[in-house]
Structure formats: C-alpha cells, structure tokens
Amino acid sequence: MTTDDTLENFVPLSRSPIWELQRSYYSRLGVNAWQPNMVPNYVTTNPFIAQSYARVIEGFLEDFAPARKSGDKREPHYIIEVGAGSGRFAYGFLKFFFSKEQMAMRRKRDVVYVMTDISEATIKYWRRHPQLKPFVNMGVLDFAYLDALKDHPVDLLVSKKRIETGKLSNPLAVIANYVFDSIPHDLYAAANGNLMARHVCHRIETDSTEIEEIVRDTDFGYHEASCGTDIYENEDWNRILEKYRKIKDGMNFSFPVGAMAALDRLATLTKGPMFCLAGDFGATDLSVLQDMPPRKIARNGTYSLHVNFHAISEYVTRRKGRFFTPGHAKSSLEMAGILMNPRRRQIRHLAHRFNRHIRETGPDEFFMLKKIAEENFESHSLPRILALLRLSHGDIKIFRGCSAALLKALPGANSFERESVIAELIKVDDIFFRCDRTADPATLILQILLGLDAKKEARHVLTRNRVFLEQTTDGTLAVADTLHRLGRAEDAVPVLEKLLVREPGHPEAKALMARLSEGRMCEKSA
C-alpha cells in the first residue's frame, strides 16, 4: 500500500491520515504496545517521576481544593491521566499518593484518580489487573475511555458517574506524559520575515495489514510552500505564528495544534481551574528551538513529534493561564506545568512544589543520575547500591543493574546492612507493576531473601506475586523452590507437576522434583 508523493498528496501534517494509523496502533495492540522494544516509556513511568508528580498535584489541590467537611457528599476531586498506557505510572502514583502516610499528612478530600485511554482493550486490561484492584476497592480509582481531542462525556466505569463539559465544580488535575508528541502537529519554517508551511506526504512501503508493520514501514516526503499567518480559526494560534514569522534569525518549528486543542477541551470539563502536568520529548526555550533543523516525524515505535512547548506557553499565557517550566537545559525530558483558569487565586503551594520536585531535583535529573550509575553498575559497593535503591524509590532498572554487584557484596554484609537490603527488596517488589514480558524481579528477590534467611519476607513476596509468577517457567520454578525452602515440599510438588505437563523435559524442574521425591522417601524411612 503506497501513497504517491505527487504534489496534491502533500497536506498539512495535522490533516495527514497518519493520525488515524496512530489511533489504530494503540487500539489494536492495547497494552502490548508497551512491551519491551515497542514504544519507549521508562522515563515517564518510573517510581521517581510518579512520586514527583504526586507531590506537585498535592500542591495544586492545597491551593485550589477546599478540605471536605464532615458529612459532605459533593463531587470528588478528579485526577485524570490521559493515555495511561501500560498503567505503570498510575500504579506508582497511586501507591504514593494514597499511602497511609501521605493521606494522614494532607487535608481530608475525596480524590479519585481516573485512568483513561483510547484503547478499549487496554482499559479492560486495567480493570482485571490484580495490583489495581485494591485502589478500586478503596474508591480512589476509576477508569474511562477518553479522546482528548473530541468533545464527548467521560463515563466512569466503576462509579457509573458521567463527567460532562462544564459540569465539574471542583478543580481538575490532569497528567499527560508522552501524549502531546503523539497527537496532531503542523510543521513550519520561518526565514527572512516569511513563513513556509511544511506539508507532508506519507508512503506505506508494505502490503501487510499488521499495524506494527504499517507504522514501521511508513516513509515521509516534505514540501515547503509560502503561507500567511491567518491559517487557523483560533486567532491566538495565528498570532503565535505571526510572532514566529518575525523572528530575526528564523527557525524551523512544529506547531502543537493537538496539544493546544486538548488543553482547551480538558479545561472545559470544569468550571474551576485545570492543572496539567506533562512530560515529553520537546523544548520550551526559544533559543533551543531556533537551533533545530527542519522538523520531521520521528519513529519511536509509533509516530511522534518534538513538542514545541514554547508555543504552548505562549498560548496558555494568552488564555490568562500560568505556565511552569524547569527553565534550565535538560538532558532527556521536557517538563511543563499548565494552569488554566487560575483566576485571582494565589499559587503558593503549587509553585513551591513544582520548583522543588520538578525544577530543582526532578525526573530529568533522576534519569541522568541513573545513566551515571549505569556506567559502573557491576562495581558498586553495598552502601552505594542501597543509596541508589532508596533515591530511586525502588526503581526496577536500578535494581536489575545492581543485582550482580548486590549478590557479590552480600556475603560480607553485617547484620544491619542485611536488614537494610531486606527492606529495600520489599520496596522494589511492592512498587513494580507487572504489565510486560520482562523477567519478574520477584524470582531474584525470593532467592536473595531466602539466602538472608528472611523467611517471613519471602512468604510475603511469594503470596503477593504467585499469580504472576506461575504464568512463566522461571517464575513457576521460583515458586516451587521457595515453597521447598520454606519447608512446604508437599505444596511444591503440584506446582512442579503442572510445569512438567507443560514442559515434560524441563531439566531444572525434573531435578527439583527428584530432590523433593528423595526428601519424601527419606522422611518415610525415618
């Protein structure tokens, strides 16, 4: 299937058919879109960024959301995550925000986190996921289909409530990670006082009907043509284009029409303020944007664009909103806080929390710290490993990277260090959201805990994760071995029997079964 690159096939990027292909990609693949080597997502789903966002949104609520009075049954305060994808970010956010410690520290409010997506399959996956059910049972988690670019009611699947345009009275918090780069943009170039529209033609160089192959085998052509600055119905967008046209040294830029439309649409859900936290591949500083080459569509599993956060900041300011940015050179991820309809309220807590948890020591700094740590993972000492695990809030990539060095260091650890290791292992297991085909850390965690004679903790990890572990061969072996080492050989035997039915010749399963049989024979003879 191919689209010819004759001139009439070049269109503004925002009107290109690729956005429907993008929707099909996520709708068809569901949560499988987030498997390893598909769509990158670690930088926006790790525990550090989840806790950073949670603290900032607490600041927003502190400024704008009144505390609940006894017996007050008004609507809850909603936190809507747009494009929640694998669910890993949401899980980290929920674990921290609704922990006993955090709930005890803040004023009483009814807060409900709403995971949304355009994929019905992904939403069904979340609703069935055992790690999310406790939050549903607490009444703090709901799910909904949400297309941020279309005006439709948001029907909550658990509470059966409906959020309609202009019906909410309470302030609304929104999270949008790796969303703005994946919804419609237009491309332009400004030079010598002239504005050029950079139109796009796509060519699909495959006859396959598999959406992954269609996206992977899409090529693009580009054509520039002079244009005016009265392109859009939205006059604020046109004024921003006019400002860019006049830039002395010119620039190549994307224009995030999808992001700006989505912010408008989300802001209309409430009569009060709307605050959006967004993390994406992009830039806010105008000098950075001016150094960019002609803008092109990138491929990171799906189609994506470098986000022009400067245009978003200009638009928000024109709408009398507030735009928060780290304001310094970044290494990987651009972060933005977007406050719409703030009115005359003072923004003390939100500003302080954004400065503290995004600007000063934020997710971008953590990501670079992880990169530095990766250079010497195999040689880190035990105190360094423990510090990295604490700083990362139990991040799985830190744990996996340090695991060899950890195993090497444990024989020389004193009793207090061993207790610290046990505590951090429990945190790693607790914060890990099981949503992809990567190896479950519980297999290694169980091995280490048993080696430290932490049987109580090993039983806890086994009980919590058994339903996940028995879905894989390695996990099933870990379950059987743990049961055996906890003195429950009679429970380990049926686990191994099921595995040997699936894989009759599995050598490790056969060897463990032989040891268990030998042990039972010795017990009988005794």
Side-chain angles (χ1 to χ4, degrees), residues 11-72:
V11 297
L13 179 55
S14 61
R15 300 212 306 262
S16 170
I18 69 165
W19 303 113
E20 283 304 314
L21 293 175
Q22 183 100 303
R23 292 175 61 86
S24 295
Y25 182 92
Y26 288 111
S27 295
R28 291 188 200 177
L29 292 183
V31 75
N32 288 324
W34 309 100
Q35 296 297 328
N37 302 317
M38 298 288 280
V39 179
N41 63 89
Y42 166 78
V43 70
T44 57
T45 61
N46 61 72
F48 191 97
I49 191 173
Q51 290 201 22
S52 297
Y53 275 37
R55 293 180 187 278
V56 175
I57 286 178
E58 282 180 336
F60 167 66
L61 294 175
E62 195 67 26
D63 282 333
F64 291 98
R68 173 174 54 84
K69 297 178 182 178
S70 179
D72 191 347

Side-chain angles (χ1 to χ4, degrees), residues 92-103:
F93 187 104
L94 291 162
K95 288 289 290 183
F96 179 77
F97 192 87
F98 293 107
S99 65
K100 290 180 180 179
E101 295 81 1
Q102 290 303 118
M103 293 180 72

Side-chain angles (χ1 to χ4, degrees), residues 66 69 78 98 115 119 121 151 154 158 179 220 239 263 289 296 330 375 386 395 431 462 525:
K69 297 178 182 178
Y78 290 109
F98 293 107
M115 297 172 66
S119 168
D151 186 9
V154 182
V158 178
V179 171
F220 296 96
R239 291 189 184 100
L263 289 168
L289 293 169
K296 293 184 177 182
K330 61 172 177 38
E375 296 175 1
L386 289 170
D395 178 67
I431 201 62
L462 176 64
S525 63

Side-chain angles (χ1 to χ4, degrees), residues 336-348:
I338 300 155
L339 180 62
M340 308 286 277
N341 308 321
R343 297 170 187 166
R344 296 179 180 273
R345 295 292 295 271
Q346 289 188 328
I347 310 170
R348 293 177 298 183

Side-chain angles (χ1 to χ4, degrees), residues 145-154 163-166 261-262 264-266 268-269:
Y145 175 94
L146 173 62
D147 185 335
L149 296 177
K150 294 183 180 179
D151 186 9
H152 64 87
V154 182
I163 300 175
E164 296 183 275
T165 299
D264 279 343
R265 183 262 192 275
L266 291 164
T268 62
L269 291 176

Side-chain angles (χ1 to χ4, degrees), residues 459-493:
R459 280 193 293 271
H460 172 72
V461 171
L462 176 64
T463 301
R464 183 162 60 188
N465 300 308
R466 187 166 176 175
V467 65
F468 299 106
L469 289 169
E470 291 192 21
Q471 294 175 11
T472 67
T473 299
D474 289 344
T476 304
L477 278 170
V479 170
D481 181 61
T482 302
L483 289 169
H484 169 50
R485 295 171 69 179
L486 290 174
R488 295 170 55 188
E490 70 282 0
D491 294 327
V493 170

